[in-house]
């Protein structure tokens, strides 16, 4: 019982049943009292009518007429009343069913006339002008039976309600328990280590199915994040071996070499360079994790992407010029997107870094913004050697570098971060041929400044589904 | 200057001490309670405060100082490097925020800049170093009495140098103060802008900006 009481489902069902029973009881009593009051009133009214009628006979023709009327009435088929008449001294003039003499007004008595069944009488005594007492009585057993029947019906109804309620409680409780148990079973299985378990979702689309579906979506996302984390850990471990090896060798060489200060300094500088390279790698990894997993969107604000691009152009112009390339900027007006200003700058500068790093001198780099409908586009294009089509999907993945010998600097995370930032902004990154060169287009949903929400129809901005955060080694499609 | 170093990791503390000892006096404490008590003496010019302490959060120490009206400039040192951490640190009242691991030169440069900031409650709008002068209102630069026309960002770079004459200003400090970015782009944009600023300032005269290899730049005081 305690076990049942602990179950919220049973408590709920039981409470509901108890409430229903109380409501039925209250309604039953109200009906009973209203009905019986009405029946008694009618009963009394009929008796007083009869008395009035007899008094009228008495008034018109005195005692003989009254006696006549009494005889007539008593013989009338189906007459429900019995009569008695006592003279001034209390002597019996007429008397049916051992009715007693009584004071004027209403009385009730249980009468047991000899040779007849006992009955329950309710009668009205009227003193006539000459001192006689007229009594008209009705049999209330009919009323008593009616009352008993009402009571019975009420009791039966109450018992039925209780019975149905108890059955409902058990069924409802069992149903709730069963539905909830599938969720807790899944949770237990997941806690036991099987992250692939999902709550079974029925076809009806009720609250449980919806809750199950949300839970499953949450579990999918968690599984994705866990997988991401696992991937990052293994990627980092893998990619750190090379610089760690170099760092170790540099220190080892420095220690085992001559006591001369110059080679020692060289070794230390090499070691410092290697640790900086590792730190940069860490920084990049952490940044990507931050973008992919944390609640960045809480801080998003409307950002004018066109102004931001102009700012980045101003920032990068001299460096690109110094690198022997040209930078053209084509971005006018104001285009608002919802985002993090610094991340959007980093996204743009990462693409510019790439354009500078992987192209020969003389390359033209173009940065532009466009907007059409619900969509803002940021395009960074260069006239360099480009990327072969078969590699284009791959280069946004983590640690992918097309330079197999790894002679150029970088750790293969730049474009992955761009993809992660784009995804965090509900955008889409497309890398395609610029004929010649490479062109990266980032589409972002435009935001309505007043409402601070992404404007309706923004889904048309993205041709595919919302881009999932990029994964380490999974194919991007 | 006298620096209060609040850092629970002894090795890190020793390395910071040995890095700063040449030019500063360091007092090291290892926990938050001690930090709150030590700063009350008012003898310190700058505090270096680790975010993660064994007893209380570095932000709580900062809070305690500020509620005790200890107006010491604080550089928060932390292993927490996300944007959210930096924002919470600065909103918590830190004057600067440096993420571990950092270069010792970076720390030195930022401490110097912090101390300078604390001396002036009301920052001036006019700066003069040697024959260079810079006005913030209106934005105008003169060298030897002659106007030098600078691009907006070149002006901002020079402003940072002139606020800290004779002191190193690192690339990270430029990136944060001039462009408002807290990451290091792979392309060295600071150097390119500085070289243009230099060319305009030099214009027949001596070079007032000194390059500190691997660190940043410094404005010559005797320029």
């Amino acid at each position: 019982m305690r076990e049942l009481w602990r179950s919220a489902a049973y408590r709920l069902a039981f409470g509901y049943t108890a409430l229903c029973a109380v409501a039925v009881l209250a309604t039953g009593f109200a009906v009973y009292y209203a009905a019986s009051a009405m029946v008694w009133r009618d009963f009394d009214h009929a008796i007083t009518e009869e008395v009035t009628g007899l008094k009228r006979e008495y008034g018109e023709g005195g005692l003989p007429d009254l006696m006549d009327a009494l005889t007539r009435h008593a013989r009338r088929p189906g007459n429900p009343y019995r009569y008695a008449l006592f003279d001034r001294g209390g002597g019996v003039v007429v008397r049916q069913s051992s009715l007693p003499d009584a004071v004027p007004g209403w009385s009730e008595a249980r009468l047991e006339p000899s040779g007849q069944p006992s009955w329950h009488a309710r009668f009205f005594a009227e003193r006539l002008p000459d001192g006689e007492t007229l009594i008209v009585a009705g049999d209330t057993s009919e009323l008593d039976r009616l009352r008993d029947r009402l009571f019975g019906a009420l009791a039966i109804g109450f018992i039925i309600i209780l019975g149905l309620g108890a059955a409902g409680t058990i069924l409802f409780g069992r149903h709730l328990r069963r539905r909830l148990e599938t969720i807790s079973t899944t949770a237990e299985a997941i806690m036991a280590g099987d992250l692939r378990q999902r709550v079974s979702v029925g076809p009806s689309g009720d609250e449980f199915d919806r809750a199950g579906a949300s839970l499953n979506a949450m579990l999918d996302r968690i599984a994705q994040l866990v997988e991401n984390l696992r991937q990052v850990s293994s990627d980092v471990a893998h990619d750190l071996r090379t610089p760690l090896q170099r760092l170790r060798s540099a220190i080892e060489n420095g220690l085992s070499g001559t006591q001369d200060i110059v080679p020692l300094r060289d070794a230390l500088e090499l070691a410092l360079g290697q640790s900086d390279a590792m730190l940069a790698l860490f920084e990049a990894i952490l940044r990507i994790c931050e973008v992919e997993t944390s609640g960045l969107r809480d801080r998003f604000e409307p950002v004018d992407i066109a102004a931001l691009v102009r700012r980045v152009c101003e920032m990068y112009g001299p460096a690109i010029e110094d690198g022997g390339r040209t930078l053209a900027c084509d971005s006018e007006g104001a285009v608002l997107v919802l985002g993090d200003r610094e991340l959007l700058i980093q996204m743009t500068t990462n693409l510019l870094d790439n354009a500078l790093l992987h192209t020969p001198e003389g390359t033209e780099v173009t940065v532009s913004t466009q907007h059409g409908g619900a969509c803002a586009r940021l395009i960074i294009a260069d006239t360099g050697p480009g990327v072969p089509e078969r590699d284009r999907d791959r280069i946004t993945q983590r640690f992918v570098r097309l330079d197999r010998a790894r002679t150029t600097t970088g750790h293969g995370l730049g474009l992955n971060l761009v993809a992660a930032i784009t995804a965090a902004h509900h955008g889409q990154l497309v890398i395609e041929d610029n004929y010649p060169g490479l062109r990266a287009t980032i589409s972002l949903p435009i935001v309505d400044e007043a409402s601070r929400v992404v404007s309706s129809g923004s889904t048309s901005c993205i041709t595919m589904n919302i881009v999932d955060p990029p994964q380490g080694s999974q194919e991007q499609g | 200057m006298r620096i209060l170093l609040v850092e629970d990791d002894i090795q890190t503390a020793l390395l910071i001490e040995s890095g700063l000892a040449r030019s500063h006096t360091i007092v090291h404490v290892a926990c938050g309670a001690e930090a709150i008590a030590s700063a009350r003496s008012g003898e310190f010019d700058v505090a270096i405060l680790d975010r993660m302490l064994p007893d209380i959060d570095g932000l709580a120490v900062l809070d305690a100082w500020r509620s005790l009206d200890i107006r010491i400039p604080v550089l928060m040192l932390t292993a927490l490097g996300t944007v959210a951490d930096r924002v919470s640190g600065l909103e918590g009242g830190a004057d600067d925020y440096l993420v571990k691991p950092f270069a010792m030169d970076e720390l030195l440069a930022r401490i110097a800049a912090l101390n300078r900031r604390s001396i002036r409650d009301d920052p001036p709008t006019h700066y003069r170093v040697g024959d260079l002068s810079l006005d913030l209102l209106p934005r105008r630069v003169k060298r030897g009495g002659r106007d030098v026309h600078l691009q907006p960002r070149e002006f901002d770079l020079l402003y940072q140098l002139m606020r800290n004459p004779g002191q190193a200003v690192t690339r990270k400090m430029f990136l944060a103060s001039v462009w408002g970015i807290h990451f290091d782009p792979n392309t060295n944009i600071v150097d390119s802008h500085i070289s243009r600023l230099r060319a305009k300032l030099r214009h027949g005269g001596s070079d007032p900006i000194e390059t500190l290899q691997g660190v940043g730049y410094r404005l010559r005081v005797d320029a």
Side-chain angles (χ1 to χ4, degrees), chain A residues 129-156:
Chain A
D130 289 339
E132 296 93 340
T133 305
L134 173 66
I135 291 176
V136 177
D139 187 351
T140 62
S141 49
E142 197 64 30
L143 293 184
D144 293 340
R145 258 201 303 285
L146 185 68
R147 189 185 56 200
D148 291 347
R149 219 170 290 153
L150 262 175
F151 247 136
L154 194 59
I156 289 168

Side-chain angles (χ1 to χ4, degrees), chain A residues 279 283 287 290 296 299 311 314-322 340-342 345-346 349-350 352-353 356, chain B residues 81-84 86-87 99 101 152-153 156 178-183 185-189 191-193 195-196:
Chain A
L279 292 177
E283 191 97 340
R287 189 76 162 178
E290 184 190 357
L296 279 176
R299 286 204 323 273
R311 183 108 174 151
E314 183 200 47
M315 198 189 292
Y316 264 64
I320 290 183
E321 232 171 78
D322 289 353
D340 180 278
R341 185 177 162 276
E342 187 160 356
I345 291 180
Q346 193 164 18
T349 61
N350 266 19
L352 280 174
D353 288 338
L356 203 53
Chain B
T82 67
V83 179
R86 197 184 65 239
V87 169
V99 178
R153 252 26 88 203
D156 295 340
V178 175
W179 286 282
I181 61 178
H182 300 86
F183 61 90
N186 283 338
T187 306
N188 202 335
I189 59 173
D191 289 1
S192 296
H193 281 272
S195 81
R196 277 156 183 72

Side-chain angles (χ1 to χ4, degrees), chain A residues 265-292:
Chain A
R265 278 200 69 97
D266 286 351
L268 274 179
E269 251 161 42
L270 195 60
L272 187 64
Q274 286 306 324
S275 39
D276 279 348
M278 280 189 287
L279 292 177
L281 176 73
F282 258 125
E283 191 97 340
I285 286 278
L286 290 173
R287 189 76 162 178
I288 290 170
C289 288
E290 184 190 357
V291 171
E292 282 181 356

